[in-house]
Amino acid sequence: MASRGRNPKGRYKISEGKDGKWHAWPRVGTKPDGSPKRVHIQRDTAEEVAVAMDEVLARAKAAGGAPLKKIETVSQWLDHYLEYIVRPRRPQSTWKAYRSLLNNWAKPYIGKRRLAGTRNVLEPEHLDELYNAMRKRGGRTGNGMKPASIVKLHNVLSKALDVAMRYGRATRNVCDLVEKPTARKTKPQGYSLEHGQALLREASKDRLKALWYLRLLLGPRQGEALGVRWTHMDLVAMDADGNPKPRIDLQKQWGRGTWQHGCDDPVACAAPRCRTKVCGPQWVHGCDDVTVCKINPRWCPRRRQRATCRMHKRPCPQPCPPGCVKHAMHCPKRRDGGLLESDLKTEGSARPLALPPVLADALVEWRAVQQREFEDLSLEWSPEAHAFTRPDGRPIDPRRDHDEWKDLGRRAGLPLKHLHIARHTAATLLIAMGADISVVQDLLGHADIRTTRGYVGPAEDLQREAVKKLAEAMFTNEAFLMLARQAATPRAG
């Protein structure tokens, strides 16, 4: 039997049989017992076999049954870690954040280093160089990445290398050998009690006042508030004595997912949308008086270049790299994107929330309004519907929700802050009202009380009251009072 061998390198063997035809047996997966699963391809020419084999391997890869690749470098392992360990187990937002950090920083700087061996192995010095590059050349403006982003990359790399050690791919975790980056945490300042009251007064005039009441009084996450359904509420619950005990059970969250390619060839699908060149230079006048110059800025003798072009508000994007697989939102078979309902952030995030009477009344009122809106649009209202929707019955987009929050702040005359600050505001005001921090922890759904402390801003009134009580207790003795009077009396001369 004549044989063509592996041509080119890495291709499966294509052989000529005694029947005059050409044959190949590419591996397309693994059998349950661990042995390789192969298919037989037979054609009249070797070229036809090669084309058919490429099609079979592409289908096998799309179906998840492609043969396992040998993992030797950091880049190969990070791809495996993201696709098979992080993506199936963590929320999509977490996977996206990990992928961005690893693809933009870890893989370009240390991706070709080996996990183990004697040549070109990942060493602690390589991580120091990576972190130093992030400090100098990172960020949109080139002034360096924030320390918190460097710490996050270090933690993600440490987790990935820990898993590599358990899988036997690496012999050590290099992240444990370097000096861990540090970042000073800053507590976001929530709105004060007066500002919170101003927001509630303005929210009382809004169509979705029940949603704003829920956020400012109980502090759920954005996706948790938007994902509430009427079946998750019990607005008429009573205790044994007949006292009302309304509640909400947070079970799901609503958010926007990133589209992924569903086609067989993402590179070819993305090619028409890829950016092939950078934006041309945009010039502005650099002279003292534009009316005297009276020429196109391009020919101004003191012209200077704009930081961005007229099309982009941020620095202009760079051309797409070779083999780009982005632009999935334009894929005809796109998947896993748009508005999606998913599980909560953690297992402890599924929790009941006790409703104050004012919020329970607002929800009852809003349910009647929503039912009327559905009837006006000839839609069938169901208890399975989301509690907070747009006027046409569709779920609220998180981006639109954030814009409405900023509009609410403008109408209340307050400084604009991110929507998540409503969660910080609820936590801070609850502590100021005397609530125990463990109660606030359960209300916010935090697994660690240290996270709750990061949400709670300084309660100045409580501090002032505590210091006042301490001073009164310390100065009850007459001797202390006399010393205090002497210290307060100005000395002669």
Side-chain angles (χ1 to χ4, degrees):
M1 177 184 295
S3 174
R4 289 191 56 174
R6 294 184 180 269
N7 187 22
K9 184 178 179 181
R11 293 291 296 270
Y12 286 97
K13 187 176 182 179
I14 300 176
S15 306
E16 184 179 14
K18 294 181 179 179
D19 56 358
K21 295 184 179 296
W22 293 84
H23 306 265
W25 289 265
R27 179 179 175 180
V28 295
T30 305
K31 295 181 180 179
D33 60 356
S35 60
K37 179 181 178 181
R38 301 181 182 274
V39 295
H40 179 210
I41 299 176
Q42 174 182 311
R43 297 291 188 274
D44 293 334
T45 64
E47 289 74 13
E48 293 177 354
V49 173
V51 172
M53 186 162 53
D54 289 341
E55 295 177 355
V56 169
L57 292 176
R59 290 198 302 269
K61 184 177 181 180
L68 295 177
K69 296 181 179 179
K70 188 175 182 181
I71 297 177
E72 294 181 342
T73 65
V74 174
S75 181
Q76 292 172 340
W77 171 250
L78 292 180
D79 289 338
H80 178 87
Y81 176 73
L82 286 171
E83 185 65 25
Y84 297 101
I85 298 175
V86 177
R87 190 171 185 178
R89 297 174 174 85
R90 305 297 295 274
Q92 191 186 55
S93 58
T94 302
W95 168 73
K96 286 168 54 181
Y98 284 14
R99 183 187 61 173
S100 176
L101 281 173
L102 295 178
N103 288 350
N104 291 336
W105 290 103
K107 290 169 66 175
Y109 280 86
I110 61 175
K112 295 182 180 180
R113 302 287 178 180
R114 292 180 178 270
L115 291 171
T118 57
R119 293 185 303 107
N120 198 27
V121 185
L122 181 64
E123 298 290 349
E125 295 82 1
H126 300 144
L127 292 186
D128 292 334
E129 294 174 1
L130 166 61
Y131 300 153
N132 194 43
M134 294 180 71
R135 294 186 187 98
K136 290 183 177 179
R137 297 187 292 275
R140 295 185 180 274
T141 61
N143 296 328
M145 296 287 285
K146 294 181 179 179
S149 298
I150 302 175
V151 172
K152 186 173 183 178
L153 175 62
H154 176 86
N155 294 336
V156 174
L157 276 175
S158 181
K159 293 178 184 178
L161 294 178
D162 276 341
V163 178
M165 290 178 61
R166 294 201 302 268
Y167 279 36
R169 302 293 182 183
T171 57
R172 61 178 181 172
N173 186 345
V174 182
C175 292
D176 295 337
L177 306 179
V178 301
E179 189 72 22
K180 183 177 179 179
T182 58
R184 180 174 296 180
K185 295 182 178 180
T186 58
K187 291 184 179 181
Q189 295 296 322
Y191 286 119
S192 64
L193 179 60
E194 293 75 12
H195 287 176
Q197 291 172 340
L199 283 171
L200 290 175
R201 281 194 299 269
E202 196 61 36
S204 63
K205 311 170 189 176
D206 196 87
R207 171 179 169 270
L208 291 173
K209 71 174 184 179
L211 176 60
W212 306 125
Y213 286 4
L214 174 65
R215 282 172 167 155
L216 291 167
L217 296 177
L218 302 181
R221 300 177 179 92
Q222 182 189 29
E224 295 172 346
L226 297 180
V228 171
R229 296 178 182 268
W230 292 112
T231 52
H232 302 163
M233 303 184 193
D234 190 351
L235 302 179
V236 294
M238 297 284 183
D239 61 10
D241 298 330
N243 299 318
K245 295 181 62 177
R247 56 182 282 174
I248 290 180
D249 292 320
L250 298 181
Q251 300 178 12
K252 294 288 183 179
Q253 64 179 350
W254 193 256
R256 177 171 289 277
T258 302
W259 292 107
Q260 303 297 321
H261 283 279
C263 53
D264 297 333
D265 191 351
V267 176
C269 181
R273 298 282 179 176
C274 283
R275 190 177 185 84
T276 58
K277 58 183 181 180
V278 297
C279 297
Q282 301 287 324
W283 304 103
V284 294
H285 282 280
C287 51
D288 298 331
D289 192 350
V290 178
T291 58
V292 175
C293 188
K294 290 185 178 180
I295 61 175
N296 190 302
R298 181 179 179 183
W299 308 112
C300 177
R302 297 183 182 179
R303 67 179 184 179
R304 53 187 176 84
Q305 190 170 348
R306 289 165 52 101
T308 61
C309 67
R310 294 184 178 89
M311 182 183 301
H312 302 104
K313 295 182 180 179
R314 295 179 177 178
C316 299
Q318 297 298 314
C320 296
C324 174
V325 294
K326 296 181 180 180
H327 320 290
M329 65 176 297
H330 303 289
C331 176
K333 298 181 180 179
R334 62 184 185 179
R335 56 180 175 82
D336 299 340
L339 292 177
L340 300 173
E341 189 177 55
S342 59
D343 294 331
L344 297 179
K345 185 176 181 180
T346 62
E347 185 177 352
S349 297
R351 61 196 186 278
L353 299 180
L355 302 180
V358 62
L359 178 53
D361 295 341
L363 286 169
V364 172
E365 179 185 348
W366 164 241
R367 181 168 57 184
V369 172
Q370 189 187 59
Q371 290 173 348
R372 289 196 299 270
E373 290 181 349
F374 274 54
E375 291 176 1
D376 294 341
L377 295 173
S378 300
L379 299 175
E380 182 180 355
W381 185 88
S382 170
E384 293 290 338
H386 283 92
F388 306 109
T389 59
R390 296 168 61 178
D392 57 3
R394 291 184 297 171
I396 299 176
D397 189 296
R399 297 171 187 168
R400 181 189 294 265
D401 182 42
H402 188 262
D403 291 340
E404 292 179 355
W405 163 260
K406 292 192 293 185
D407 185 58
L408 179 68
R410 290 191 192 97
R411 297 200 308 267
L414 302 181
L416 296 183
K417 295 186 179 182
H418 194 275
L419 176 57
H420 200 71
I421 211 68
R423 188 166 163 84
H424 292 267
T425 300
T428 301
L429 296 183
L430 282 168
I431 293 294
M433 295 296 115
D436 188 83
I437 193 170
S438 60
V439 176
V440 179
Q441 176 190 0
D442 294 337
L443 194 65
L444 299 183
H446 290 152
D448 193 338
I449 199 169
R450 290 175 295 182
T451 307
T452 310
R453 289 195 178 99
Y455 271 69
V456 177
E460 185 177 348
D461 294 338
L462 288 181
Q463 295 177 2
R464 184 175 290 105
E465 186 66 22
V467 173
K468 180 181 177 182
K469 291 180 179 179
L470 175 62
E472 292 175 352
M474 293 289 288
F475 283 95
T476 52
N477 190 293
E478 291 297 332
F480 279 103
L481 290 176
M482 183 176 64
L483 290 174
R485 294 191 192 99
Q486 292 177 356
T489 303
R491 295 184 179 181

